[in-house]
Amino acid sequence: MTLQFGDLESLQGAFVEHQTILSRLRISDTAISSCLVKTREDLAKCDALIIPGGESTTIALLARLAGLTDPLKAFVQAKPVWGTCAGAILLAESVVGAKKGGQELLGGIAVKMERNGWGSQVESFEAALDIEGLRDPQRPFTGVFIRAPVVLDFMEDPSRPPIEVLARLPSTLLPHSGKEIPTPTASPSDDTSVSTGNQRTVVALRQGRHLLTTFHPELTKDDRFHDYFVRSCVYATLSRSPVEENKPN
Ligand code: GLN
């Protein structure tokens, strides 16, 4: 089986880093290849898509100029998509803090996000994260946050798959927004459903075949998040699933 992954063009996005990690994955009898998506034709060849970090407004503009906005919206409705940082913003249903003139979104994940939600003091930082469902869960994953967005809320919609929280930050690292932030009381595994409040601590989540991370897994040497996306989000949409059978411990 061959899986073609696309990485949406973004002037500042980390295409090479995503591609390097994807090329390292060894998953059953599956050949994984990836390409840069600049045109509808590129997109049409893909089984799954990664929307990288960068600048969400610029990515949306480039997509619009390339005639990709509607094909991307259709792709999101049909196939797995992972949005990292700016890409996560594009996958949201609603965003606050958009630039003047607005922010075009693709939708796909029922969350409301805030651009640059960490404020100017802590625009970029790293944090050790416990992530649900990754190989070797005792080993923390280094979350690299670069002018990251914040998940403000989940938007309940019983007709859509449940939102699964994969990782939270400790509330002590949350941005100072002047608002009262409730202390998290649950671990990610205890709190996987919609509307428990305190969504601002959420930094990685999954809804059905789509994945959202407000940080940059491609900027580490750790391939576990890419491995998770391929196994759990992409294969879940295919009729045949050789991966689960060969899943490492
Ligand atoms: N702040 C950027 C935006 O709003 C995202 C930054 C990133 O992708 N690292 O689009």
Side-chain angles (χ1 to χ4, degrees):
M1 179 185 293
T2 301
L3 279 179
Q4 177 70 34
F5 283 75
D7 196 325
L8 188 63
E9 182 180 33
S10 129
L11 288 178
Q12 304 128 312
F15 167 66
V16 174
E17 287 82 354
H18 278 298
Q19 192 177 38
T20 303
I21 297 183
L22 286 171
S23 70
R24 276 207 302 265
L25 298 182
R26 292 287 166 265
I27 296 177
S28 188
D29 60 350
T30 302
I32 294 176
S33 52
S34 52
C35 67
L36 188 58
V37 172
K38 292 184 174 190
T39 65
R40 287 164 177 254
E41 291 72 30
D42 297 333
L43 185 64
K45 290 183 210 140
C46 295
D47 300 300
L49 182 70
I50 296 175
I51 307 181
E55 181 62 44
S56 47
T57 319
T58 308
I59 299 173
L61 189 64
L62 288 174
R64 167 70 53 202
L65 291 174
L68 270 171
T69 306
D70 289 336
L72 281 169
K73 286 182 178 169
F75 193 97
V76 170
Q77 294 305 316
K79 293 184 177 173
V81 183
W82 175 13
T84 60
C85 203
I89 295 171
L90 290 170
L91 281 183
E93 299 289 340
S94 128
V95 66
V96 299
K99 279 192 179 160
K100 213 173 160 192
Q103 164 77 63
E104 193 154 23
L105 302 175
L106 302 173
I109 297 190
V111 292
K112 180 177 179 182
M113 302 196 75
E114 180 178 11
R115 286 186 69 234
N116 301 323
W118 301 98
S120 53
Q121 309 94 318
V122 278
E123 283 178 338
S124 303
F125 61 96
E126 289 187 8
L129 302 171
D130 294 328
I131 313 254
E132 281 295 298
L134 294 195
R135 275 189 339 250
D136 196 4
Q138 304 78 2
R139 179 160 55 101
F141 194 97
T142 303
V144 179
F145 294 83
I146 305 171
R147 291 184 304 113
V150 168
V151 176
L152 292 181
D153 210 351
F154 297 168
M155 301 158 91
E156 288 194 64
D157 182 351
S159 67
R160 297 173 67 171
I163 291 178
E164 295 173 48
V165 174
L166 303 179
R168 290 179 181 271
L169 272 180
S171 59
T172 48
L173 288 178
L174 285 174
H176 301 292
S177 62
K179 293 173 199 144
E180 183 84 9
I181 297 166
T183 309
T185 52
S187 70
S189 56
D190 297 330
D191 184 8
T192 57
S193 61
V194 175
S195 278
T196 53
N198 196 31
Q199 314 305 9
R200 285 167 174 262
T201 58
V202 175
V203 292
L205 62 84
R206 173 181 176 187
Q207 185 170 33
R209 61 181 172 263
H210 300 320
L211 184 61
L212 178 157
T213 52
T214 62
F215 53 95
H216 289 263
E218 78 283 6
L219 297 183
T220 67
K221 300 254 182 279
D222 194 332
D223 66 5
R224 286 179 296 161
F225 237 104
H226 290 74
D227 185 87
Y228 175 86
F229 180 57
V230 175
R231 289 176 192 278
S232 301
C233 300
V234 179
Y235 275 94
T237 66
L238 301 175
S239 52
R240 185 164 87 87
S241 180
V243 174
E244 286 302 314
E245 293 154 26
N246 296 293
K247 192 170 181 171
N249 297 324

